[in-house]
Amino acid sequence: MSDSDEKPEHQKENGEMNREEEIRLKPFQPWYSVQIKGASKNGEVVMFQITTVKLEQCKEEVEVDRQYEDFEWLQHCLNIVPNVKGVIFPPLPDRPIVSAAEAEAKSRKQLGTASKNIKGDEFHKDCRKLEKYLQGIVRHEAIGKCEALSNFLTKKEPPVRAKLKKGILSNLSRAVDGVRKGGHKDIDEMFQKERDLANDMQKIAKETSLNFDTMVNSLCRISMACNHLSTALCLGMSAEDNGASAIINKLQVEFAKSIDHYGYAVDVCTANDENTLGFHLDLYSRYCLSCKVSNHFGLSLRSLLQILAIV
């Protein structure tokens, strides 16, 4: 057989290898687009309305209702997906505050123990956090195509809500295991430096997020004090409407308006700060914790930074 006859075969093999390499290097394309459009409270349960667009199936749109326990079950299923180990999973946000006792405790923490005001439901914040959580999952190359995620997003009926064990013994076991692994020095010096850096970053991120929350709570108290002062100025006006009393009343009204406007400006700035810097500080803090946990399985802080650049 001549060289000219063998050449096309070589070209064909090279072409197949190039195609395989292109597939391997091609960025992961999400199968779903997820949005949480709202939440409704039914007794002690908060239902989240999730809208999913199947990007691989003619943009079909599916709407489902899920509660927080369903998200916990999804997280559990993702953690036990076969052949998926040593990855940084998107962190599940905290449980929404539902009961009146929890709402009162949170209000006292934010507004002070002497405050009798109770802040209303803030389910819009929970919707945004859970939406970011789902977006991180659907964009994750290792778990973005798993069956548990597909069932969660597209099945009208919620998954079976099996009770996850969260007793004191399991928490103690995880804590002891974390201390044992955290204190064990890695044989690879470079990876040990990455682990130490991840631990330090987790502490800094957590502390920064907590300090930001403290600042927001202080601003909330300033706003509430402005409202009280504005009300007191209005109530302190004289009943007489002539001479000096009229002038003083007019000054008090203008002063009360300015205090009220200042309180409103504080509320607007606080809300904007929470929606921007506060949201991302909380997200970064929870991802740093996931990176710290995953470091026991061979992941570095660079992996975390790559994930945060995507989400």
Side-chain angles (χ1 to χ4, degrees):
M1 184 178 291
S2 63
D3 293 339
S4 60
D5 293 333
E6 294 181 358
K7 189 174 181 180
E9 252 184 68
H10 279 300
Q11 289 179 347
K12 184 177 180 181
E13 291 177 0
N14 291 337
E16 290 178 355
M17 292 176 62
N18 291 335
R19 281 195 297 273
E20 290 178 358
E21 187 175 356
E22 288 178 3
I23 294 174
R24 195 164 52 247
L25 297 177
K26 185 179 179 181
F28 173 71
Q29 298 298 324
W31 284 15
Y32 309 99
S33 173
V34 184
Q35 183 180 7
I36 298 182
K37 293 188 175 181
S40 58
K41 184 178 177 181
N42 183 13
E44 295 296 318
V45 176
V46 180
M47 300 300 297
F48 297 93
Q49 291 83 47
I50 305 174
T51 300
T52 303
V53 178
K54 298 181 180 180
L55 302 178
E56 297 289 327
Q57 299 181 11
C58 302
K59 309 294 183 180
E60 180 185 355
E61 188 173 293
V62 182
E63 294 185 359
V64 297
D65 293 331
R66 297 289 186 263
Q67 62 186 56
Y68 185 79
E69 285 73 11
D70 299 328
F71 287 88
E72 287 185 316
W73 181 247
L74 172 64
Q75 183 79 349
H76 170 72
C77 293
L78 296 178
N79 284 324
I80 59 175
V81 172
N83 302 322
V84 177
K85 296 181 179 179
V87 300
I88 299 177
F89 286 96
L92 181 65
D94 295 332
R95 178 185 294 273
I97 292 179
V98 179
S99 67
E102 291 176 328
E104 182 180 358
K106 182 179 180 180
S107 298
R108 289 184 179 276
K109 180 180 179 181
Q110 292 182 333
L111 304 178
T113 55
S115 174
K116 296 182 180 180
N117 297 334
I118 298 181
K119 300 188 71 173
D121 296 329
E122 296 179 324
F123 295 144
H124 63 283
K125 295 182 180 179
D126 299 313
C127 288
R128 188 183 179 196
K129 290 179 180 180
L130 290 171
E131 180 179 286
K132 197 71 174 178
Y133 164 75
L134 290 177
Q135 289 175 351
I137 293 176
V138 299
R139 296 173 184 173
H140 202 297
E141 183 176 0
I143 56 179
K145 298 180 180 180
C146 70
E147 184 179 359
L149 177 62
S150 175
N151 294 336
F152 178 88
L153 295 175
T154 61
K155 300 293 185 182
K156 288 292 184 180
E157 292 298 323
V160 179
R161 301 187 186 105
K163 188 68 176 179
L164 300 178
K165 295 183 179 180
K166 297 182 180 179
I168 185 172
L169 293 179
S170 60
N171 293 336
L172 181 62
S173 175
R174 283 196 298 269
V176 172
D177 190 53
V179 172
R180 179 179 61 81
K181 292 180 179 179
H184 177 70
K185 295 293 183 181
D186 197 272
I187 59 175
D188 190 332
E189 183 179 355
M190 185 277 295
F191 183 72
Q192 182 61 42
K193 290 181 179 179
E194 291 282 352
R195 175 184 290 181
D196 293 339
L197 179 60
N199 292 339
D200 294 340
M201 288 296 295
Q202 192 273 330
K203 294 178 183 178
I204 294 172
K206 183 64 176 179
E207 183 179 356
T208 304
S209 181
L210 291 176
N211 288 339
F212 179 85
D213 291 340
T214 302
M215 182 193 72
V216 168
N217 295 340
S218 299
L219 292 174
C220 290
R221 297 179 187 184
I222 291 175
S223 174
M224 184 179 64
C226 288
N227 292 334
H228 290 169
L229 178 58
S230 176
T231 303
L233 288 170
C234 293
L235 294 176
M237 291 189 299
S238 174
E240 300 179 7
D241 196 18
N242 53 22
S245 296
I247 297 175
I248 293 176
N249 287 344
K250 185 177 180 180
L251 290 174
Q252 284 189 220
V253 169
E254 294 301 321
F255 186 37
K257 287 182 179 179
S258 64
I259 293 295
D260 192 52
H261 288 323
Y262 177 74
Y264 175 75
V266 171
D267 288 337
V268 171
C269 291
T270 302
N272 290 337
D273 289 345
E274 281 189 293
N275 291 332
T276 53
L277 180 60
F279 175 80
H280 287 92
L281 281 175
D282 176 68
L283 178 67
Y284 189 81
S285 174
R286 288 187 284 110
Y287 259 109
C288 282
L289 181 59
S290 293
C291 181
K292 179 181 177 180
V293 174
S294 299
N295 256 311
H296 300 316
F297 302 100
L299 291 178
S300 66
L301 185 64
R302 294 187 181 90
S303 302
L304 170 64
L305 297 177
Q306 292 174 358
I307 293 174
L308 288 175
I310 296 175
V311 300

